[in-house]
Amino acid sequence: MTSTVRGSQLARLLGHWHALPGRRRNPDYAALAGAIRGLLADGRLPLGVRLAAERELAEALKVSRTTVTAAYRELRESGHLTSRRGAGSWTTLPGGHKVASSGLWTPQDDLDMIDLGCAALAAPPDLMPAAAAAAQRLHRYLSGAGYHPTGIIELREAVAQGYTDRGLTTSPDQIMVTSGTQHALDLVLRLMAPPGAPVLLESPTYPNALAALSARRARIATHGLDNDEGWDADLLLDGLRQTRPRLAYLIPEFQNPTGHLMPAALRERVVAAAHAAGTDLVVDESFVDLPLDGTEVPPPLACFDRHSRVVSIGGMSKPYWGGLRIGWVRASAPLVQRLAALRVGVDMASPVLDQLVAVQLLDRAGTIVPARRRQLAEQRDALVAAVRRELPEWRVRVPRGGLTLWAELDGPVSSALSRAAEEMGVRLAPGPRFGVDGTLERFVRLPFTLPASDLEDAVKRLAAVRYDLERPRRPRWREPAILT
């Protein structure tokens, strides 16, 4: 499943790569090699793709072929390129890094820790009244066995109505309730992604999706997102056409972790390209209810689907509460029935009482969701202001929705920063957790789901940690331990 990055595409990604003028300027080939290494480290240039031939890239960059040849040679020597005579050159990373098999989960038993590793809100005040109202309606289900593999009809109707209100006519037969969005993804992968199947992902992406695909032994290819612009339409569509993956996993609404929003025109083109390539699209809509600043959300990707190629997943975790493990799948009715048959061998059904609570919360969405948006907008602005004040060398783009900032650091220190921040009482999600093969060391995800005072305190601690990373540390001697 190898795709090729054309010379014109690579030239656009490289931008202003030329060596800077000066007495000790590096030669152009070294600057070009360094720029390509930077694209790989940031995840914008995927691993395992074939680079343009030397002559083609030289013409696109308007440099001599000798410069490109020397740059490729330097990349091979540093382990960032593997070449085979007559076949081409593929991007790699030195050291044989592999996709991490664990998702982004950390224990939360330290009450003094400011946890920026988890992008989720505390429960809304409406949860207790909703739970009480749900308990009053539970008696209607007590005479049965309580197993509803596709979900209780009340919740399926409510979820279907939500899609219809967004412009995508949906019937309850097209909805299956799951135990959270991650459970929905797992069931879809079990049915639609055989072990070893080729899969296309965004980079960066949701760590638990990477973990689920790694468990399926998927052959992962990535499409790199630009920190400012988001999806590169040319590269994304070419990735679908060239690799023809069995499945592509996308987060078009306020992408996790970058916060980008996919435009409507690209959504339509992606669906058409997926159909032509024989690719099914799994669309994660976890953040669709959280536009900020009055941002208008484009129609769902499934609105452009005429061939049942789009499977949408979503849930209650982000706009409501993560402790309410309710998610769903929206697909064609026959596919929902196949998923339900598969589910019986996994967990039978979601708890009826939790589903009734979800019905009550969705009925109160007109009050709960706007309050959540106001809360998030205030906390986002406080976090952005704190980062720009305390860490002016970092680059942050203000997202128009979702829960997170994707901060570009002033150096490839994300993992080191995360380890040091833990000692200062701040838990971070370093950039490499969101990519493959050790990339994204210049980025860190910062959720704005905590109170503004906690966020400001956390950023001050991070600023102190970042300063200390530049200072040589004295070794700390430990007492010898007696092993028994």
Side-chain angles (χ1 to χ4, degrees):
M1 192 178 71
T2 301
S3 61
T4 299
V5 177
R6 299 194 301 270
S8 58
Q9 293 172 331
L10 184 53
R12 186 174 68 252
L13 288 174
L14 287 166
H16 301 291
W17 62 271
H18 289 279
L20 296 175
R23 292 176 59 189
R24 298 185 178 180
R25 59 169 286 177
N26 291 325
D28 280 348
Y29 78 85
L32 177 56
I36 293 175
R37 278 193 292 265
L39 290 176
L40 285 167
D42 291 350
R44 293 186 59 198
L45 183 62
L47 298 172
V49 298
R50 184 185 289 111
L51 292 189
E54 295 171 1
R55 186 186 302 278
E56 180 187 352
L57 182 57
E59 291 176 354
L61 295 176
K62 295 181 172 55
V63 298
S64 70
R65 183 176 177 180
T66 303
T67 297
V68 177
T69 300
Y72 277 18
R73 181 175 63 248
E74 182 166 311
L75 290 169
R76 283 191 292 271
E77 291 173 353
S78 65
H80 292 83
L81 205 62
T82 298
S83 300
R84 190 165 68 244
R85 185 179 296 277
S89 299
W90 291 266
T91 54
T92 58
L93 277 187
H97 297 278
K98 300 296 180 184
V99 179
S101 60
S102 60
L104 185 59
W105 181 88
T106 50
Q108 298 185 359
D109 52 0
D110 187 345
L111 299 180
D112 295 327
M113 183 73 67
I114 301 178
D115 191 357
L116 297 184
C118 181
L121 291 161
D126 310 72
L127 182 60
M128 290 301 292
Q136 293 295 319
R137 290 164 172 76
L138 181 60
H139 66 91
R140 292 178 293 173
Y141 291 89
L142 297 181
S143 60
Y147 298 128
H148 303 270
T150 59
I152 63 174
I153 185 62
E154 294 173 74
L155 182 53
R156 288 189 288 125
E157 287 176 342
V159 174
Q161 186 60 49
Y163 278 103
T164 301
D165 293 344
R166 291 171 56 202
L168 178 61
T169 302
T170 302
S171 71
D173 290 341
Q174 293 177 270
I175 301 297
M176 185 176 80
V177 177
T178 63
S179 299
T181 310
Q182 184 69 21
H183 181 222
L185 176 60
D186 180 73
L187 288 173
V188 170
L189 294 180
R190 286 171 184 261
L191 182 65
M192 304 176 67
V199 175
L200 180 67
L201 296 180
E202 299 151 333
S203 180
T205 192
Y206 178 46
N208 289 337
L210 278 171
L213 287 163
S214 178
R216 299 293 299 166
R217 301 192 301 278
R219 292 186 289 127
I220 296 175
T222 59
H223 164 68
L225 270 65
D226 182 84
N227 197 32
D228 296 316
E229 302 300 328
W231 297 266
D232 186 310
D234 190 23
L235 287 174
L236 175 56
L237 299 177
D238 263 11
L240 287 168
R241 296 181 188 117
Q242 293 179 24
T243 64
R244 304 180 73 86
R246 177 67 184 82
L247 194 108
Y249 171 78
L250 304 174
I251 311 174
E253 285 90 19
F254 315 115
Q255 199 263 354
N256 184 11
T258 64
H260 288 298
L261 179 63
M262 184 181 286
L266 180 55
R267 295 172 184 234
E268 185 173 11
R269 296 176 66 191
V270 165
V271 173
H275 172 61
T279 300
D280 291 316
L281 296 177
V282 179
V283 179
D284 190 335
E285 299 181 318
S286 295
F287 302 91
V288 71
D289 292 318
L290 299 175
L292 306 179
D293 309 322
T295 297
E296 184 175 348
V297 179
L301 256 80
C303 281
F304 306 104
D305 181 25
R306 301 292 181 268
H307 306 280
S308 299
R309 285 286 184 189
V310 177
V311 177
S312 305
I313 60 176
M316 307 289 290
S317 295
K318 302 307 180 184
Y320 297 95
W321 187 45
L324 186 67
R325 303 308 303 148
I326 294 295
W328 51 76
V329 178
R330 189 238 178 238
S332 65
L335 184 58
V336 165
Q337 290 305 310
R338 292 172 62 196
L339 286 168
L342 174 68
R343 181 193 190 159
V344 169
V346 179
D347 74 336
M348 300 296 290
S350 298
V352 172
L353 182 56
D354 287 16
Q355 294 183 68
L356 289 171
V357 174
V359 171
Q360 294 298 315
L361 289 173
L362 291 174
D363 191 50
R364 294 164 166 78
T367 300
I368 298 173
V369 175
R372 293 299 227 188
R373 292 172 182 168
R374 290 191 296 271
Q375 173 190 355
L376 287 169
E378 293 173 1
Q379 292 170 183
R380 176 203 60 188
D381 293 345
L383 178 58
V384 169
V387 171
R388 289 176 173 171
R389 180 177 63 251
E390 304 291 340
L391 292 158
E393 298 84 6
W394 292 12
R395 290 183 62 238
V396 290
R397 171 189 156 274
V398 181
R400 293 182 291 161
L403 301 174
T404 63
L405 299 182
W406 185 236
E408 183 176 354
L409 312 182
D410 53 335
V413 297
S414 182
S415 295
L417 181 73
S418 178
R419 289 190 294 269
E422 190 95 9
E423 298 179 5
M424 291 286 289
V426 179
R427 180 172 290 134
L428 284 179
R433 300 298 296 272
F434 301 85
V436 299
D437 300 310
T439 60
L440 304 173
E441 273 288 1
R442 289 197 307 114
F443 296 90
V444 66
R445 188 186 73 172
L446 301 174
F448 40 89
T449 50
L450 298 178
S453 58
D454 287 348
L455 296 173
E456 291 165 354
D457 185 11
V459 172
K460 289 179 180 178
R461 298 188 197 186
L462 290 178
V465 169
R466 181 66 187 99
Y467 172 73
D468 286 343
L469 285 181
E470 302 296 332
R471 302 168 62 188
R473 283 192 168 190
R474 297 178 61 184
R476 295 192 305 174
W477 301 99
R478 295 183 178 180
E479 292 292 331
I482 299 176
L483 302 179
T484 59

